[in-house]
Amino acid sequence: MGANLPVDVDRVRLELGRADGPAVSAAALLLTGAGRVRSGADLVARDQPGAPGDAVRHVATPDGAEAVEVDLAALPDSTERVALCAWTGSGTLGRVTGLRLRLVAAGSGTVLAHFDMAPRSETALVAGELYRREGRWRFRAVGQGYDHGFAGLAADFGLTPAPARAPRPGPAPRPAPPARPQTRGEELLPADMGERLSLRKQQVATSLRKGGLTGVTARVILVLDASGSMSGLYAKGTVARVAERMAAVAALLDDDGTMQAWTFATRPARLPDLHLGELPEWLRLHVRVGQLGVIGRKKRPKSRADGQVDMRTVGIQNEEQKVIADVRAYVRDHPVPLPTLVLFFSDGGVYRSKEIERELRAAADEPVFWQFVGLGRSHYGVLEYFDTLPGRTVDNVGFFAVDDVDQVADPELYDRLLSEFPLWLGAAREAGVLR
């Protein structure tokens, strides 16, 4: 889940297969950069087998399974993503065994990617997607489940009401939830920032609904890499924009909209809590890159505002295990009757894989989910394969990397950021990690 790879052929086939259980239907949604369909014509399914121009067609595989064939070169520029959806009209997808998605080169039949899925209570899901990045196409394994059938899935992508011609549709789309009241302090924000926050809260709520979560409350902690290699992202304002986007997660999930935060490089440092009404000033004062302290320098350091970290003490190297230990200690020392979601941003350069693995394995019995996000293509060490490591009470870690986070639209970012959190919540409650 979350893995991606470049697609270097023009025509591909997304094949949905299963070993046993209820029949599974497949369809494709053609999406704009905002993650929305333009009209009902952007649905390709068994009873609506072709998109305009026939760039995307619904087909059957030789073994009778459903598939979608895509001519990437023929897709219009307005189509930024092609999402393959799966659903069943007979109970839940958890009754389907061996559910899998294969990405196949349509001309040669070469299998480019294979993604095994293990849904539970979901009745529909987005299995995978083709997406355009800097003029080239890539494939991502998604596995994002929905508990409200095809109609609920389609509605979240702007297909409302779900087309009657879609095979075995689920229940009618749910009415839109009432507007969420403002979080404390939201009224103090500048108008443009307040508008962005309000829209992003709705998008966070939509991403959580896709995982079957409504009304969930959680403590949110932000961790920002301040090592030397991050200096360019700080200088461009990328890290500040990321922090602003994460404030929307805390505004929706946290009961008072307050978010704890850490920065780290060679050493970790806790930042002042982020209170929503102070967001512009907090970003200005505390989103700063690390520095290399020079011994013997006689020049007086610049004065710092109250609560500002002396970034010379943070250093410039990557020591993720130290800040992980710091956050774990904080959670233990400040228990709350809520799950904790840690949003951890780094540009990689991980070289302490054994120490990081030791910390995260020990944290598997704690009520904390660690969502790591890579900002670039650098080396992420153990974080890239931690999901596959056995011997933990629950899978308490998620990871994905993006080439340029500023180019990832909010709906896509929140979908990816919150895709594994609902799965962990269910597993943690079942295992007794959460009470």
Side-chain angles (χ1 to χ4, degrees), residues 74-131:
L75 285 170
D77 291 343
S78 57
T79 298
E80 293 285 335
R81 296 162 58 192
V82 178
L84 183 75
C85 311
W87 71 97
T88 177
S90 304
T92 69
L93 286 167
R95 297 174 57 202
V96 179
T97 60
L99 186 62
R100 62 190 181 276
L101 170 63
R102 296 199 313 169
L103 176 69
V104 178
S108 65
T110 302
V111 177
L112 306 176
H114 184 107
F115 177 39
D116 292 319
M117 293 166 280
R120 297 182 181 181
S121 62
E122 301 95 327
T123 52
L125 57 79
V126 176
E129 66 177 5
L130 298 158
Y131 64 101

Side-chain angles (χ1 to χ4, degrees), residues 175-194:
R180 193 175 181 94
Q182 283 193 330
T183 309
R184 190 169 64 191
E186 192 171 338
E187 73 282 357
L188 302 175
L189 294 175
D192 57 340
M193 184 176 281

Side-chain angles (χ1 to χ4, degrees), residues 53-251:
D54 285 341
V56 183
R57 294 196 60 81
H58 184 280
V59 298
T61 64
D63 59 1
E66 297 195 21
V68 171
E69 196 162 291
V70 184
D71 184 347
L72 296 170
L75 285 170
D77 291 343
S78 57
T79 298
E80 293 285 335
R81 296 162 58 192
V82 178
L84 183 75
C85 311
W87 71 97
T88 177
S90 304
T92 69
L93 286 167
R95 297 174 57 202
V96 179
T97 60
L99 186 62
R100 62 190 181 276
L101 170 63
R102 296 199 313 169
L103 176 69
V104 178
S108 65
T110 302
V111 177
L112 306 176
H114 184 107
F115 177 39
D116 292 319
M117 293 166 280
R120 297 182 181 181
S121 62
E122 301 95 327
T123 52
L125 57 79
V126 176
E129 66 177 5
L130 298 158
Y131 64 101
R132 203 191 303 257
R133 181 71 74 237
E134 297 179 351
R136 300 188 63 185
W137 285 95
R138 301 180 68 87
F139 168 77
R140 177 183 298 121
V142 180
Q144 175 68 59
Y146 294 73
D147 290 335
H148 301 279
F150 178 78
L153 181 157
D156 275 339
F157 290 100
L159 206 59
T160 308
R165 297 184 65 194
R168 290 191 294 277
R174 295 161 291 140
R180 193 175 181 94
Q182 283 193 330
T183 309
R184 190 169 64 191
E186 192 171 338
E187 73 282 357
L188 302 175
L189 294 175
D192 57 340
M193 184 176 281
E195 290 174 6
R196 291 195 300 270
L197 179 71
S198 179
L199 178 59
R200 285 167 173 163
K201 284 168 61 179
Q202 296 176 38
Q203 291 165 338
V204 171
T206 296
S207 296
L208 289 170
R209 285 202 306 274
K210 291 177 182 179
L213 291 182
T214 55
V216 65
T217 304
R219 174 168 51 190
V220 180
I221 294 176
L222 178 66
V223 179
L224 298 174
D225 182 353
S227 60
S229 59
M230 288 281 293
S231 58
L233 294 177
Y234 279 87
K236 291 191 299 183
T238 297
V239 182
R241 288 187 289 272
V242 163
E244 182 184 337
R245 295 165 88 176
M246 295 308 102
V249 180

Side-chain angles (χ1 to χ4, degrees), residues 287-305:
V287 180
R288 298 151 63 226
V289 75
Q291 299 173 15
L292 181 62
V294 179
I295 299 175
R297 178 182 289 175
K298 295 182 179 180
K299 185 177 179 180
R300 291 183 61 189
K302 293 181 179 179
S303 60
R304 297 188 303 277

Side-chain angles (χ1 to χ4, degrees), residues 177-433:
R180 193 175 181 94
Q182 283 193 330
T183 309
R184 190 169 64 191
E186 192 171 338
E187 73 282 357
L188 302 175
L189 294 175
D192 57 340
M193 184 176 281
E195 290 174 6
R196 291 195 300 270
L197 179 71
S198 179
L199 178 59
R200 285 167 173 163
K201 284 168 61 179
Q202 296 176 38
Q203 291 165 338
V204 171
T206 296
S207 296
L208 289 170
R209 285 202 306 274
K210 291 177 182 179
L213 291 182
T214 55
V216 65
T217 304
R219 174 168 51 190
V220 180
I221 294 176
L222 178 66
V223 179
L224 298 174
D225 182 353
S227 60
S229 59
M230 288 281 293
S231 58
L233 294 177
Y234 279 87
K236 291 191 299 183
T238 297
V239 182
R241 288 187 289 272
V242 163
E244 182 184 337
R245 295 165 88 176
M246 295 308 102
V249 180
L252 190 95
L253 284 178
D254 203 290
D255 56 355
D256 63 359
T258 298
M259 182 165 61
Q260 286 72 49
W262 269 258
T263 188
F264 80 95
T266 311
R267 289 166 290 278
R270 185 179 170 192
L271 300 173
D273 289 355
L274 169 56
H275 303 287
L276 205 56
E278 302 168 0
L279 179 57
E281 187 72 353
W282 191 92
L283 295 174
R284 184 183 71 83
L285 291 176
H286 304 300
V287 180
R288 298 151 63 226
V289 75
Q291 299 173 15
L292 181 62
V294 179
I295 299 175
R297 178 182 289 175
K298 295 182 179 180
K299 185 177 179 180
R300 291 183 61 189
K302 293 181 179 179
S303 60
R304 297 188 303 277
D306 288 346
Q308 267 193 319
V309 171
D310 182 351
M311 297 304 290
R312 294 174 303 168
T313 67
V314 172
I316 61 170
Q317 294 180 315
N318 289 84
E319 298 282 353
E320 289 83 359
Q321 77 284 357
K322 294 179 182 177
V323 72
I324 293 171
D326 236 32
V327 173
R328 290 183 60 208
Y330 172 83
V331 171
R332 288 194 302 270
D333 294 342
H334 299 81
V336 294
L338 300 171
T340 296
L341 172 62
V342 177
L343 305 174
F344 195 117
F345 290 84
S346 168
D347 71 339
V350 172
Y351 72 102
R352 298 287 195 184
S353 285
K354 289 183 179 179
E355 293 88 343
I356 294 169
E357 179 179 345
R358 187 181 305 119
E359 287 289 340
L360 292 176
R361 278 189 180 277
D365 292 319
E366 299 168 352
V368 184
F369 184 74
W370 300 79
Q371 179 61 61
F372 291 87
V373 182
L375 302 176
R377 303 179 181 180
S378 189
H379 173 65
Y380 295 101
V382 68
L383 301 178
E384 297 187 70
Y385 56 85
F386 201 89
D387 274 354
T388 66
L389 295 179
R392 289 173 292 153
T393 307
V394 291
D395 181 1
N396 58 330
V397 174
F399 171 81
F400 66 91
V402 294
D403 296 339
D404 184 350
V405 70
D406 282 329
Q407 297 302 312
V408 180
D410 285 335
E412 179 183 350
L413 180 63
Y414 294 134
D415 277 358
R416 300 187 69 184
L417 194 76
L418 300 168
S419 64
E420 295 191 57
F421 181 56
L423 302 176
W424 171 81
L425 279 176
R429 289 185 179 121
E430 186 175 328
V433 173

